[in-house]
Amino acid sequence: MTSLPPPSAKKLGLVIDLDTCVGCQACTTSCKEWNTQGYSGPLTDTNPYGSDPSGVWLNRVHGYEVMEEGQAQSRIVNFPRSCLHCEEPACVTVCPTGASYKRAEDGIVLVNPETCIGCKLCSWACPYGAREYDQSQGVMKKCTLCVDRIYNENFEPEDRQPACVKACPTGARHFGDLGDETSKVSQLVAERGGYDLLPEMGYKPVNKYLPPRARRDATNTRAEALPRPDGSAFDRLFQWADKVLSPRKASARANEPDHSGKLEG
Amino acid sequence: MHPAYSVILFTTASGAGYGLLALLSLVGISHGEASSLAFGLTAMVVALGLITIGLLSSTFHLGHPERAWRAFSQWRSSWLSREGVAAVITYLPAVVFGAVWSGLIAAPALIAPLAVVTAVMAMITVLCTAKIYSTLKTIRSWHNPWTVWVYISFALATGAVILAAITAVFGNFPAFLVYFSSVLMALAGIIVLLYWRSIDAAPRDLTMGDATGLGRLGTVSQWEQPHSAPNYIQKEMGYVVARKHAAQLRRLVIVALVLAILLMLSALAVPVAALLAMALALFAAVVQRWLFFAEAQHVSSLFYGAQAA
């Protein structure tokens, strides 16, 4: 059923810390590794090691350069992007078959690969580019929030988390119930001013992003290179000493690296 | 947006078919039974044939055409599903109307009620097609009040020139149809001009900074792509025709429509010109539909380096 269920009390999702993400791609590869065998698998690749690879990934990490007001230097923000498990996902309501659905019990948005007809309309409806079509299988693929891990009783309780969260070496990804105000993730969002992506679209994403913290050297850093030899008396003294101490054989001198620090020309 | 040829063929062919079907219903209401069995059957076969070709072509771009029947289930929320349901339901009154109107079944009293139901269902189906696109908030040039009118006006205009061409072939070519189809083509041209004016004037005020939320910090630009080769999102959503080509193609649509109207008017003297008018009007509809996709920019392209959407 692609009509949305009544809003659930439980809203499982991710909180992504843009301050600590280092763009290592561990979450994307771990996601691929788990999900190619999981609920949405396989995540087909074509020509993965060739010159023109293409394939389905459920998580992508972008790199943006941000130039802040009054700063001489820009900063890099690594930006993971995956399904936000929206509260009002048009990707679900546009689905003609009921393959795309939002779970009433925890709000996870899933695609049933057995009933998807591959019309791609859901991917058109998603402003976040979170759905990727699998050409080989003819069905749409998306983040499952590792629904086959988080409730998996074969795992130790600490492993019942999405693969991306488990893999993140810097702790930039947090998983939890954003419908519960007392949960760790909700508190993190409240403390750090977590925000929604494109709130003007009205999809009400569950996943939140924590903005990068203000830089410590926010006002007084100026781009400056290391000092270079400037031809001062000291520089000339060292050059003279280098000349005196070096062996006099011309051929040996020619092959030796020049450490004098003297500038060309 | 990537202009998939199956979807362009689908929307133009089925649009023309439903337009023709609606106009044949009007003919049935005003004139009663068709002038001859051959004319009636030909017109109905052309209308339902175009509709069927369009609907079949729409299944070609599916990953799983064999599961297409599932698309009838979610009419409560999905315009695509509603369109499928409306398309199938329309066949019922249309086939019965065609049989009665062409004289295959002698029941003249039923022509008018069947014609009303057929015409209404045909227009509802075109409306559903347009709504699939106009309800997508992610594509600004589709999420526009003119979108629906573009689809309806082109369906009626192309349907009308096809009807004119068929009557010209059968030699029962009324002058009224010349003026009627010319007016509908002119209306389609005016509406598409208004649509283009509207999408050009609409502000493209979302930026990469808005999409990522990093605009709160400062000016955002793309530093590194997340992958080394284009992915599905870039191939499907990233297709945007160059602005200068779009301008030329827009002119082509209008020129084709104007020529089609002139040819249709000259059909008053030489009826066979109606066939050329039909070809030109259909050509204009296809180019317009191609532009509809190729000019559309998807919000998600902001994540991949688009400056504004």
Side-chain angles (χ1 to χ4, degrees), chain A residues 96-178:
Chain A
T97 68
S100 189
Y101 65 105
K102 186 168 176 69
R103 282 161 51 113
E105 62 270 39
D106 53 18
I108 298 178
V109 176
L110 290 176
V111 176
N112 181 349
E114 305 295 317
T115 55
C116 172
I117 59 174
C119 72
K120 305 177 190 162
L121 187 56
C122 56
S123 68
W124 294 4
C126 173
Y128 309 107
R131 291 176 170 239
E132 297 200 11
Y133 181 67
D134 190 334
Q135 187 73 39
S136 326
Q137 301 214 299
V139 295
M140 195 56 75
K141 301 285 169 75
K142 71 175 291 302
C143 162
T144 66
L145 208 60
C146 283
V147 68
D148 41 10
R149 288 182 64 94
I150 58 177
Y151 294 112
N152 196 330
E153 290 179 2
N154 296 318
F155 286 176
E156 297 299 323
E158 63 268 29
D159 287 330
R160 292 177 202 163
Q161 294 195 62
C164 59
V165 175
K166 282 294 289 180
C168 181
T170 64
R173 302 177 74 93
H174 306 267
F175 164 70
D177 180 6
L178 287 143

Coordinates of all heavy atoms in Angstrom, one line a residue, chain A residues 96-178:
Chain A
P96 N 3.0 3.2 -8.2 CA 1.7 2.7 -8.7 C 1.4 1.3 -8.2 O 0.3 0.8 -8.4 CB 1.9 2.7 -10.2 CG 3.3 2.5 -10.5 CD 4.0 3.2 -9.3
T97 N 2.4 0.6 -7.7 CA 2.2 -0.9 -7.4 C 2.2 -1.2 -5.9 O 1.8 -2.3 -5.6 CB 3.4 -1.7 -8.0 OG1 4.6 -1.4 -7.2 CG2 3.6 -1.4 -9.4
G98 N 2.6 -0.3 -5.1 CA 2.7 -0.6 -3.6 C 4.0 -1.2 -3.3 O 4.2 -1.6 -2.1
A99 N 4.9 -1.3 -4.3 CA 6.2 -1.9 -4.0 C 7.0 -1.0 -3.0 O 7.8 -1.4 -2.2 CB 7.0 -2.1 -5.2
S100 N 6.8 0.3 -3.2 CA 7.5 1.3 -2.4 C 6.6 1.6 -1.2 O 5.4 1.9 -1.4 CB 7.8 2.6 -3.2 OG 8.6 3.5 -2.5
Y101 N 7.1 1.4 0.0 CA 6.2 1.6 1.2 C 7.0 2.1 2.4 O 8.2 2.0 2.5 CB 5.5 0.3 1.5 CG 6.3 -0.8 2.0 CD1 6.4 -1.2 3.3 CD2 7.1 -1.6 1.1 CE1 7.2 -2.3 3.8 CE2 7.9 -2.6 1.5 CZ 7.9 -3.0 2.8 OH 8.7 -4.0 3.3
K102 N 6.2 2.7 3.3 CA 6.8 3.2 4.6 C 6.2 2.3 5.7 O 5.0 2.1 5.8 CB 6.4 4.6 4.8 CG 7.1 5.2 6.1 CD 6.9 6.7 6.1 CE 7.5 7.4 7.3 NZ 8.9 7.3 7.4
R103 N 7.1 1.7 6.5 CA 6.7 0.8 7.5 C 6.0 1.6 8.7 O 6.5 2.6 9.2 CB 7.9 0.0 8.1 CG 8.3 -1.1 7.2 CD 9.7 -1.5 7.5 NE 10.0 -1.8 8.9 CZ 10.3 -3.0 9.3 NH1 10.3 -4.1 8.5 NH2 10.6 -3.2 10.6
A104 N 4.8 1.1 9.0 CA 4.0 1.7 10.1 C 4.7 1.6 11.4 O 4.6 2.5 12.2 CB 2.6 1.1 10.1
E105 N 5.5 0.6 11.7 CA 6.0 0.3 13.0 C 7.2 1.2 13.3 O 7.4 1.6 14.5 CB 6.3 -1.1 13.3 CG 7.3 -1.8 12.4 CD 6.7 -2.4 11.1 OE1 5.8 -1.8 10.5 OE2 7.2 -3.4 10.7
D106 N 8.0 1.5 12.3 CA 9.3 2.2 12.7 C 9.6 3.3 11.6 O 10.7 4.0 11.8 CB 10.4 1.3 12.8 CG 10.6 0.3 11.7 OD1 10.1 0.7 10.6 OD2 11.3 -0.7 11.8
G107 N 8.8 3.5 10.6 CA 9.0 4.5 9.6 C 10.0 4.3 8.6 O 10.3 5.2 7.8
I108 N 10.6 3.1 8.5 CA 11.6 2.8 7.5 C 10.9 2.7 6.1 O 9.9 2.1 6.0 CB 12.3 1.4 7.8 CG1 13.1 1.5 9.1 CG2 13.3 1.1 6.7 CD1 13.8 0.3 9.5
V109 N 11.5 3.3 5.1 CA 11.0 3.3 3.8 C 11.7 2.2 3.0 O 13.0 2.2 2.9 CB 11.2 4.7 3.1 CG1 10.7 4.7 1.6 CG2 10.4 5.8 3.8
L110 N 11.0 1.3 2.4 CA 11.5 0.2 1.7 C 10.9 0.0 0.3 O 9.9 0.6 0.0 CB 11.3 -1.1 2.5 CG 12.0 -1.3 3.8 CD1 11.6 -2.5 4.5 CD2 13.5 -1.3 3.6
V111 N 11.6 -0.7 -0.5 CA 11.1 -1.1 -1.8 C 11.0 -2.7 -1.8 O 12.0 -3.3 -1.5 CB 12.0 -0.7 -3.0 CG1 11.4 -1.2 -4.3 CG2 12.1 0.8 -3.1
N112 N 9.9 -3.2 -2.2 CA 9.8 -4.7 -2.3 C 10.3 -5.1 -3.7 O 9.6 -4.8 -4.7 CB 8.3 -5.1 -2.1 CG 8.1 -6.6 -2.2 OD1 9.0 -7.3 -2.6 ND2 6.9 -7.1 -1.9
P113 N 11.4 -5.7 -3.7 CA 12.0 -6.1 -5.0 C 11.2 -7.1 -5.8 O 11.4 -7.3 -7.0 CB 13.4 -6.6 -4.7 CG 13.3 -7.0 -3.3 CD 12.3 -6.2 -2.6
E114 N 10.2 -7.8 -5.1 CA 9.4 -8.8 -5.8 C 8.3 -8.1 -6.6 O 7.7 -8.8 -7.5 CB 8.8 -9.7 -4.8 CG 9.8 -10.4 -3.9 CD 10.8 -11.3 -4.7 OE1 10.2 -12.1 -5.6 OE2 12.0 -11.3 -4.5
T115 N 7.8 -6.9 -6.2 CA 6.7 -6.3 -6.8 C 7.0 -5.0 -7.6 O 6.1 -4.5 -8.3 CB 5.6 -6.0 -5.8 OG1 6.1 -5.2 -4.8 CG2 5.0 -7.3 -5.2
C116 N 8.2 -4.5 -7.4 CA 8.6 -3.3 -8.2 C 8.6 -3.5 -9.7 O 9.2 -4.6 -10.1 CB 10.0 -2.8 -7.7 SG 10.7 -1.5 -8.6
I117 N 8.0 -2.6 -10.4 CA 8.0 -2.8 -11.9 C 9.1 -2.0 -12.6 O 9.2 -2.1 -13.8 CB 6.6 -2.4 -12.5 CG1 6.2 -0.9 -12.2 CG2 5.5 -3.3 -12.0 CD1 5.0 -0.5 -12.9
G118 N 9.8 -1.3 -11.8 CA 10.9 -0.5 -12.4 C 10.5 0.7 -13.3 O 11.1 0.9 -14.3
C119 N 9.5 1.4 -12.8 CA 9.0 2.6 -13.6 C 9.8 3.8 -13.3 O 9.7 4.8 -14.0 CB 7.5 2.8 -13.4 SG 7.1 3.5 -11.7
K120 N 10.6 3.8 -12.2 CA 11.5 4.9 -11.9 C 10.8 6.1 -11.3 O 11.5 7.1 -11.0 CB 12.4 5.2 -13.0 CG 13.2 4.1 -13.6 CD 14.0 4.5 -14.8 CE 14.6 3.3 -15.5 NZ 15.0 3.7 -16.9
L121 N 9.5 6.1 -11.3 CA 8.8 7.4 -10.9 C 9.2 7.8 -9.4 O 9.4 9.0 -9.1 CB 7.3 7.2 -11.0 CG 6.5 8.4 -10.7 CD1 6.9 9.6 -11.7 CD2 5.0 8.1 -10.9
C122 N 9.5 6.8 -8.6 CA 9.9 7.1 -7.2 C 11.2 7.9 -7.2 O 11.3 8.8 -6.4 CB 10.0 5.9 -6.3 SG 11.1 4.6 -7.0
S123 N 12.1 7.5 -8.1 CA 13.4 8.3 -8.1 C 13.2 9.7 -8.6 O 13.9 10.6 -8.1 CB 14.4 7.5 -8.9 OG 14.1 7.6 -10.3
W124 N 12.2 9.9 -9.4 CA 11.9 11.3 -9.9 C 11.3 12.1 -8.7 O 11.5 13.3 -8.7 CB 10.9 11.2 -11.0 CG 11.4 10.6 -12.3 CD1 12.6 10.0 -12.5 CD2 10.7 10.6 -13.6 NE1 12.7 9.6 -13.8 CE2 11.5 9.9 -14.5 CE3 9.4 11.0 -14.0 CZ2 11.1 9.7 -15.8 CZ3 9.1 10.8 -15.3 CH2 9.9 10.1 -16.2
A125 N 10.6 11.4 -7.9 CA 9.9 12.1 -6.8 C 10.8 12.5 -5.6 O 10.5 13.3 -4.8 CB 8.7 11.3 -6.3
C126 N 12.0 11.8 -5.6 CA 12.9 12.0 -4.5 C 13.8 13.2 -4.7 O 14.6 13.2 -5.7 CB 13.7 10.8 -4.2 SG 15.0 11.1 -2.9
P127 N 13.8 14.3 -3.9 CA 14.6 15.5 -4.1 C 16.1 15.2 -3.7 O 17.0 16.0 -4.0 CB 14.0 16.5 -3.2 CG 13.2 15.8 -2.2 CD 12.9 14.5 -2.7
Y128 N 16.3 14.1 -3.0 CA 17.7 13.9 -2.4 C 18.5 12.9 -3.3 O 19.6 12.6 -2.9 CB 17.5 13.3 -1.0 CG 16.6 14.2 -0.2 CD1 15.3 13.8 0.2 CD2 17.0 15.4 0.3 CE1 14.5 14.6 1.0 CE2 16.2 16.3 1.0 CZ 14.9 15.8 1.4 OH 14.1 16.6 2.1
G129 N 18.0 12.4 -4.4 CA 18.7 11.5 -5.2 C 19.1 10.2 -4.5 O 20.2 9.7 -4.7
A130 N 18.2 9.8 -3.6 CA 18.6 8.7 -2.7 C 18.3 7.3 -3.4 O 18.8 6.3 -2.8 CB 17.8 8.8 -1.4
R131 N 17.5 7.3 -4.4 CA 17.2 6.0 -5.0 C 18.0 5.7 -6.3 O 18.1 6.6 -7.1 CB 15.7 5.9 -5.3 CG 14.8 5.9 -4.0 CD 13.4 6.0 -4.4 NE 12.6 5.7 -3.1 CZ 11.7 4.8 -3.0 NH1 11.5 3.9 -4.0 NH2 11.1 4.6 -1.9
E132 N 18.5 4.6 -6.4 CA 19.3 4.2 -7.6 C 18.7 3.0 -8.3 O 18.4 2.0 -7.6 CB 20.8 4.1 -7.3 CG 21.4 5.3 -6.7 CD 22.9 5.4 -6.8 OE1 23.5 4.5 -7.5 OE2 23.5 6.3 -6.2
Y133 N 18.4 3.1 -9.6 CA 17.8 2.1 -10.3 C 18.9 1.0 -10.7 O 20.0 1.3 -11.1 CB 17.2 2.7 -11.6 CG 16.5 1.7 -12.5 CD1 15.3 1.1 -12.1 CD2 17.0 1.4 -13.8 CE1 14.7 0.2 -12.9 CE2 16.3 0.5 -14.6 CZ 15.2 -0.1 -14.2 OH 14.5 -1.0 -15.0
D134 N 18.5 -0.2 -10.5 CA 19.4 -1.3 -10.9 C 19.0 -1.8 -12.3 O 18.0 -2.6 -12.4 CB 19.3 -2.5 -9.9 CG 20.4 -3.5 -10.1 OD1 20.8 -3.7 -11.2 OD2 20.7 -4.2 -9.1
Q135 N 19.7 -1.4 -13.3 CA 19.4 -1.8 -14.7 C 19.4 -3.3 -14.9 O 18.6 -3.8 -15.6 CB 20.5 -1.1 -15.6 CG 20.2 -1.2 -17.1 CD 19.0 -0.3 -17.5 OE1 18.9 0.8 -17.1 NE2 18.2 -0.8 -18.4
S136 N 20.3 -4.0 -14.3 CA 20.4 -5.4 -14.5 C 19.2 -6.2 -13.9 O 18.8 -7.2 -14.5 CB 21.7 -6.0 -13.8 OG 22.7 -5.0 -13.9
Q137 N 18.7 -5.6 -12.8 CA 17.6 -6.4 -12.2 C 16.2 -5.7 -12.5 O 15.2 -6.3 -12.2 CB 17.8 -6.4 -10.7 CG 19.1 -7.0 -10.4 CD 19.0 -7.8 -9.1 OE1 18.8 -7.2 -8.0 NE2 19.2 -9.1 -9.1
G138 N 16.2 -4.5 -13.1 CA 15.0 -3.9 -13.4 C 14.1 -3.5 -12.2 O 12.9 -3.3 -12.4
V139 N 14.8 -3.2 -11.1 CA 14.0 -2.7 -9.9 C 14.8 -1.6 -9.3 O 16.0 -1.4 -9.5 CB 13.7 -3.8 -8.9 CG1 12.8 -4.9 -9.4 CG2 15.0 -4.4 -8.4
M140 N 14.1 -0.8 -8.5 CA 14.7 0.3 -7.8 C 15.4 -0.2 -6.5 O 14.8 -1.0 -5.8 CB 13.6 1.4 -7.5 CG 14.1 2.7 -7.1 SD 15.2 3.5 -8.3 CE 14.1 4.0 -9.6
K141 N 16.5 0.5 -6.2 CA 17.2 0.1 -4.9 C 17.3 1.3 -4.1 O 17.4 2.5 -4.6 CB 18.6 -0.4 -5.3 CG 18.6 -1.7 -6.2 CD 18.2 -2.9 -5.4 CE 18.0 -4.1 -6.3 NZ 19.2 -4.7 -6.8
K142 N 17.3 1.1 -2.8 CA 17.5 2.2 -1.8 C 18.0 1.7 -0.5 O 17.9 0.5 -0.2 CB 16.2 3.0 -1.7 CG 15.2 2.2 -0.9 CD 13.9 3.0 -0.6 CE 14.2 4.2 0.3 NZ 14.7 3.7 1.6
C143 N 18.4 2.7 0.4 CA 18.9 2.4 1.7 C 17.7 1.7 2.5 O 16.6 2.1 2.5 CB 19.2 3.7 2.4 SG 19.3 3.5 4.2
T144 N 18.0 0.6 3.2 CA 17.0 -0.2 3.9 C 17.2 0.1 5.4 O 16.5 -0.5 6.2 CB 17.2 -1.7 3.7 OG1 18.4 -2.1 4.3 CG2 17.1 -2.0 2.2
L145 N 18.1 1.1 5.8 CA 18.5 1.3 7.1 C 18.9 0.0 7.8 O 18.8 -0.3 9.0 CB 17.3 1.9 8.0 CG 17.7 2.8 9.1 CD1 18.6 4.0 8.7 CD2 16.5 3.3 9.9
C146 N 19.4 -0.9 6.9 CA 19.9 -2.2 7.3 C 18.8 -2.9 8.2 O 19.1 -3.4 9.3 CB 21.2 -2.2 8.0 SG 22.6 -2.0 6.8
V147 N 17.6 -3.0 7.6 CA 16.5 -3.6 8.4 C 16.8 -5.0 8.7 O 16.3 -5.6 9.7 CB 15.2 -3.4 7.5 CG1 15.2 -4.3 6.3 CG2 14.0 -3.7 8.4
D148 N 17.7 -5.6 7.9 CA 18.1 -7.0 8.1 C 19.3 -7.1 9.1 O 19.8 -8.2 9.3 CB 18.4 -7.7 6.8 CG 19.2 -6.8 5.9 OD1 19.7 -5.8 6.3 OD2 19.3 -7.2 4.7
R149 N 19.7 -6.0 9.7 CA 20.7 -6.1 10.7 C 20.1 -5.6 12.1 O 20.4 -6.2 13.1 CB 21.9 -5.1 10.4 CG 22.8 -5.5 9.3 CD 23.9 -4.5 9.2 NE 24.7 -4.5 10.4 CZ 25.9 -5.1 10.6 NH1 26.3 -5.9 9.6 NH2 26.5 -5.1 11.7
I150 N 19.3 -4.5 12.0 CA 19.0 -3.8 13.3 C 18.0 -4.7 14.1 O 17.9 -4.4 15.3 CB 18.4 -2.4 13.0 CG1 17.2 -2.5 12.1 CG2 19.5 -1.5 12.4 CD1 16.5 -1.1 11.8
Y151 N 17.3 -5.6 13.5 CA 16.4 -6.5 14.3 C 16.9 -7.9 14.3 O 16.2 -8.8 14.7 CB 15.0 -6.5 13.6 CG 14.3 -5.1 13.7 CD1 14.0 -4.4 12.6 CD2 13.9 -4.6 15.0 CE1 13.3 -3.2 12.6 CE2 13.2 -3.4 15.0 CZ 13.0 -2.7 13.9 OH 12.3 -1.5 14.0
N152 N 18.2 -8.1 13.8 CA 18.7 -9.4 13.6 C 19.1 -10.0 15.0 O 20.2 -9.6 15.6 CB 19.9 -9.4 12.7 CG 20.2 -10.7 12.1 OD1 20.0 -11.7 12.8 ND2 20.7 -10.8 10.9
E153 N 18.4 -11.0 15.4 CA 18.7 -11.6 16.8 C 19.9 -12.5 16.7 O 20.4 -13.0 17.8 CB 17.5 -12.3 17.3 CG 16.4 -11.2 17.7 CD 15.2 -11.8 18.3 OE1 15.1 -13.0 18.4 OE2 14.3 -11.0 18.6
N154 N 20.4 -12.8 15.5 CA 21.6 -13.6 15.4 C 22.9 -12.8 15.8 O 23.9 -13.3 15.9 CB 21.8 -14.2 14.0 CG 20.7 -15.2 13.7 OD1 20.3 -16.0 14.5 ND2 20.1 -15.0 12.5
F155 N 22.7 -11.5 15.8 CA 23.8 -10.6 16.1 C 23.8 -10.3 17.6 O 22.8 -10.3 18.3 CB 23.7 -9.3 15.4 CG 24.0 -9.3 13.9 CD1 23.8 -8.2 13.1 CD2 24.4 -10.5 13.3 CE1 24.1 -8.3 11.7 CE2 24.7 -10.6 12.0 CZ 24.5 -9.4 11.2
E156 N 25.0 -9.9 18.1 CA 25.1 -9.4 19.5 C 24.4 -8.0 19.4 O 24.4 -7.3 18.4 CB 26.6 -9.1 19.8 CG 27.4 -10.4 19.9 CD 26.9 -11.4 21.0 OE1 26.4 -10.9 22.0 OE2 26.9 -12.6 20.7
P157 N 23.8 -7.6 20.6 CA 23.0 -6.3 20.6 C 23.8 -5.2 20.0 O 23.3 -4.3 19.3 CB 22.7 -6.2 22.0 CG 22.7 -7.5 22.6 CD 23.7 -8.3 21.8
E158 N 25.1 -5.1 20.3 CA 25.9 -3.9 19.8 C 26.1 -3.9 18.3 O 26.5 -2.9 17.7 CB 27.2 -3.8 20.6 CG 28.2 -5.0 20.4 CD 28.0 -6.1 21.4 OE1 26.9 -6.2 21.9 OE2 29.0 -6.8 21.7
D159 N 25.9 -5.1 17.7 CA 26.0 -5.1 16.3 C 24.7 -4.9 15.5 O 24.7 -4.9 14.3 CB 26.6 -6.5 15.8 CG 28.0 -6.6 16.2 OD1 28.7 -5.6 16.2 OD2 28.5 -7.8 16.5
R160 N 23.6 -4.7 16.3 CA 22.3 -4.5 15.6 C 22.2 -3.0 15.2 O 21.4 -2.2 15.7 CB 21.2 -4.9 16.5 CG 21.2 -6.4 16.7 CD 20.1 -6.8 17.7 NE 20.4 -8.2 18.2 CZ 19.9 -8.7 19.3 NH1 18.9 -8.0 20.0 NH2 20.2 -9.9 19.7
Q161 N 23.1 -2.6 14.3 CA 23.1 -1.2 13.8 C 23.4 -1.3 12.3 O 23.9 -2.3 11.8 CB 24.3 -0.5 14.5 CG 24.2 -0.3 15.9 CD 25.2 0.8 16.4 OE1 25.1 1.9 16.0 NE2 26.1 0.3 17.2
P162 N 23.0 -0.2 11.6 CA 23.3 -0.2 10.2 C 24.8 -0.4 9.9 O 25.6 0.0 10.7 CB 22.8 1.1 9.7 CG 21.8 1.5 10.7 CD 22.2 0.9 12.0
A163 N 25.1 -1.0 8.8 CA 26.5 -1.3 8.4 C 27.3 -0.1 8.4 O 28.5 0.0 8.8 CB 26.6 -2.1 7.1
C164 N 26.7 1.0 7.9 CA 27.5 2.3 7.7 C 27.9 2.8 9.1 O 29.0 3.4 9.2 CB 26.7 3.3 6.9 SG 25.1 3.7 7.7
V165 N 27.0 2.7 10.0 CA 27.2 3.2 11.4 C 28.3 2.4 12.1 O 29.3 3.0 12.7 CB 25.9 3.2 12.2 CG1 26.2 3.6 13.7 CG2 24.9 4.1 11.6
K166 N 28.3 1.1 11.9 CA 29.3 0.2 12.5 C 30.7 0.5 11.9 O 31.7 0.4 12.5 CB 29.0 -1.3 12.2 CG 27.9 -1.8 13.1 CD 28.3 -1.9 14.5 CE 29.3 -3.0 14.8 NZ 29.7 -3.1 16.2
A167 N 30.7 0.9 10.6 CA 32.0 1.0 9.9 C 32.6 2.3 10.1 O 33.8 2.5 9.9 CB 31.8 0.8 8.4
C168 N 31.9 3.4 10.5 CA 32.4 4.7 10.5 C 33.6 4.8 11.6 O 33.3 4.6 12.8 CB 31.4 5.7 10.8 SG 32.0 7.4 10.9
P169 N 34.8 5.1 11.1 CA 35.9 5.1 12.1 C 35.9 6.4 12.9 O 36.6 6.4 14.0 CB 37.2 5.1 11.2 CG 36.7 5.7 9.9 CD 35.2 5.4 9.7
T170 N 35.2 7.4 12.5 CA 35.3 8.7 13.3 C 34.0 8.9 14.2 O 33.8 9.9 14.8 CB 35.5 9.9 12.4 OG1 34.3 10.0 11.6 CG2 36.7 9.7 11.6
G171 N 33.1 7.9 14.1 CA 31.9 8.1 14.9 C 31.0 9.2 14.4 O 30.3 9.9 15.1
A172 N 31.0 9.4 13.0 CA 30.2 10.5 12.5 C 28.8 10.1 12.2 O 28.0 10.9 11.8 CB 30.9 11.0 11.2
R173 N 28.5 8.8 12.3 CA 27.1 8.3 12.0 C 26.5 7.7 13.2 O 27.1 6.9 13.9 CB 27.2 7.3 10.9 CG 27.8 7.8 9.6 CD 27.9 6.8 8.5 NE 26.6 6.5 7.9 CZ 26.2 7.1 6.8 NH1 26.9 8.0 6.2 NH2 25.0 6.8 6.3
H174 N 25.3 8.2 13.5 CA 24.6 7.7 14.7 C 23.2 7.2 14.3 O 22.5 7.8 13.5 CB 24.4 8.9 15.7 CG 25.7 9.6 16.0 ND1 26.5 9.2 17.1 CD2 26.3 10.6 15.4 CE1 27.5 10.0 17.2 NE2 27.5 10.8 16.1
F175 N 22.8 6.1 14.9 CA 21.6 5.4 14.6 C 20.7 5.4 15.8 O 21.2 5.1 16.9 CB 21.8 4.0 14.1 CG 20.6 3.1 14.1 CD1 19.6 3.4 13.1 CD2 20.5 2.1 14.9 CE1 18.4 2.6 13.1 CE2 19.3 1.3 14.9 CZ 18.3 1.5 14.0
G176 N 19.4 5.7 15.6 CA 18.5 5.6 16.7 C 17.1 6.1 16.4 O 16.7 6.2 15.2
D177 N 16.3 6.2 17.5 CA 14.9 6.6 17.3 C 14.7 8.1 17.4 O 14.8 8.7 18.5 CB 14.1 5.9 18.4 CG 12.6 6.2 18.3 OD1 12.2 6.9 17.3 OD2 11.8 5.7 19.2
L178 N 14.5 8.8 16.3 CA 14.3 10.2 16.3 C 12.9 10.6 16.7 O 12.6 11.8 16.9 CB 14.7 10.8 15.0 CG 16.3 10.7 14.8 CD1 16.7 10.4 13.4 CD2 16.9 12.0 15.2

